[in-house]
Each structure stands twice: as C-alpha cells, then as structure tokens.
Amino acid sequence: MNKVIIITGASRGIGKEIAKELAKKGNTIIANYNKSEKQAKELKEELSNNKININIYKADVSKREDAKKLVEYTIKKYGKIDILINNAGISQFKEFTQITDSDWNNMINTNLNSAFYMTQEVCPNMIHNKKGCIINISSIWGLVGSSCEVHYSVSKAGIDAMTKSLAKELGPSNIRVNSIAPGIINTEMNKTLTQEEINNIKEEIPLEKIGSTKDVERCVEWLIEDDYTTGQIISINGGWVI
Ligand code: NAP
C-alpha cells in the first residue's frame, strides 16, 4: 500500500490491530497513544523485532493543541497524510440521571471532538493533494442508542453525522469519509463485563460470537483499497443490529 497513515488510540485494542497490520503491509504508520506509553513502546518493539518501523506519538487528541502537533509532526516528517483513522475512544456505563457535566464533556471531547480536531487539522493537506481517506470508528450504539450509555451513543451518532456531511463536502476534493460502527469487539473496553453478561450478549447475536479486532481491521483495509465508497456507516456486528 505504502501510504502515510495516522491512527489515533493505537496503543491497545482495535487501533493497535489496525496499526500492526497496516505496518506489516508496508505503510508508514503514526500510531498515537495517550496514557498507555508502555503498550505503545511494546508495539513498536514487537514490530521492530520483525524489522518493521512505526512511529509512536503521544497526544491527548481530545485537545486541539495536541491534535495539531500530531498532524504537524507527520507533515514535517513525511510531507503528506494519505489516511486518517479516528479510533481513539472511551466508554462509560452510567444511568442518564447520574451523568455529570464532567462525564458528558469528557465523553464528547474524547470521542467526538477528537475526530473534529484531527480531521480539521489533516484536511488542508488532503485537499491540497486532492486525495484522502478518513475512517471514523463509531459504534452500533450511535445507530440504535444504548441504555445507560447516552453520552457514548451521542458521541458516536455525532461521528456518523460528521462522516455523512464531510463525505458530501470533501467528495469533490477526492477525499472519502466513512464510519465503521462495530458491535461488541473483544478488547479492554469490555473488560468489566462478566462471563454471564457476555454469554447473554452472544445469544442476541445471530452469528453467536463476539467480534475480534481483526474483524474491524479487515474492513479498514477494504475501505482503504476501495475507490467509490464514501459517506457510509459500515456496521461490523455479527448481525446484532440489522
Ligand atoms: P480500548 O482497548 O479501550 O482502546 C482505546 C484506545 O483509545 C487506547 O489506545 C487509548 O489510548 C485511546 N484513547 C483514549 N482516549 C484517548 C485520548 N484522549 N487521546 C488519545 N488516545 C486515546 O478500546 P477499543 O475497543 O480498542 O476501542 C477503539 C474504538 O472502537 C473506540 O472509539 C470505541 O468506542 C470503538 N468501539 C469499540 C467497541 C468494542 O466493543 N470494543 C465497539 C464499538 C466501538 P491510551 O490508553 O494510550 O490513552
């Protein structure tokens, strides 16, 4: 592929899988992390043992200044950005009446504003190059809503609306914008679920299993290779939401 790709939240879970696989295929990867420095360094080391280099870059992408620096670093080093993957995110289970202003703002800043900042920062370069691909990782809960995750669902629905609107605005500049809306994926994000809760969820899923990070990563690769898909929300969910 040989593209310059920024992936936010690539120290763990889905972002890490995407970073690893795209690096193995010969791309230039800027893997962003915030708190998980140890995991980010381990990822770099694991790949360098296989003679693959990736850049790891610490930035809290919920902050404009950090997002700006991450993009400036990439353009200074490589001169362009071909692909942006807005993956960084957090989740929180809380009854609606218990959500504080701080919970709400933290969720929106981390899951939605980060994508706004990152996308706005990369846009001038992509528009100048008349070429680009932006992939936002949203969630089925942005499509159908989730009890006790109102702020999370709102942040993801916002991402999907941004995807559709930007696809229209940036299409003439040959920039494709799509969302991947996963169902339940086996990562640390779901570590608080008990085995019983997981079994109950599996029973609701037609394919009767939890998704893997690989399932999402395969879709990312397809979207990168594709040339005629934009403004779409692709839900990788085992049939949980149809
Ligand atoms: P995860 O294992 O908890 O990883 C989250 C990643 O986001 C970490 O690398 C974390 O980095 C990063 N992150 C969080 N806040 C950040 C910030 N302010 N700045 C930079 N990075 C930040 O979660 P995951 O399951 O891989 O989730 C990845 C994305 O998929 C999220 O957007 C999530 O909402 C979405 N998703 C997940 C599922 C699921 O079932 N797992 C389902 C649907 C959608 P640090 O640890 O370094 O801070």
Side-chain angles (χ1 to χ4, degrees), residues 41-180:
K41 284 185 173 162
E42 281 167 3
L43 169 64
K44 187 172 171 60
E45 199 181 314
E46 183 189 327
L47 287 168
S48 82
N49 288 341
N50 294 313
K51 308 215 175 332
I52 298 167
N53 180 47
I54 67 162
N55 303 277
I56 54 171
Y57 192 95
K58 179 175 166 58
D60 177 352
V61 290
S62 69
K63 299 197 169 92
R64 164 73 75 175
E65 212 35 53
D66 277 26
K68 195 175 164 65
K69 282 183 189 154
L70 168 55
V71 173
E72 281 172 356
Y73 163 83
T74 307
I75 291 176
K76 193 164 176 214
K77 196 159 176 189
Y78 300 107
K80 64 166 185 170
I81 295 156
D82 295 305
I83 296 159
L84 167 66
I85 303 175
N86 287 312
N87 165 79
I90 53 168
S91 64
Q92 185 183 43
F93 286 89
K94 243 186 183 185
E95 280 178 32
F96 181 62
T97 52
Q98 302 303 309
I99 292 174
T100 63
D101 289 1
S102 158
D103 291 333
W104 181 274
N105 291 334
N106 192 28
M107 187 65 72
I108 300 299
N109 284 335
T110 308
N111 290 7
L112 181 57
N113 291 353
S114 62
F116 165 55
Y117 300 145
M118 286 299 299
T119 306
Q120 218 177 36
E121 293 298 333
V122 304
C123 264
N125 185 266
M126 287 185 176
I127 290 169
H128 178 263
N129 296 335
K130 275 237 157 216
K131 203 169 185 260
C133 171
I134 298 167
I135 301 173
N136 297 319
I137 308 297
S138 59
S139 161
I140 49 167
W141 304 133
L143 297 172
V144 297
S146 174
S147 169
C148 297
E149 285 187 286
V150 171
H151 50 349
Y152 181 79
S153 305
V154 166
S155 72
K156 296 302 188 179
I159 291 242
D160 288 346
M162 192 166 91
T163 291
K164 292 177 193 174
S165 306
L166 271 178
K168 291 181 179 177
E169 189 169 328
L170 298 177
S173 298
N174 193 28
I175 299 168
R176 294 180 300 110
V177 189
N178 292 285
S179 282
I180 298 176

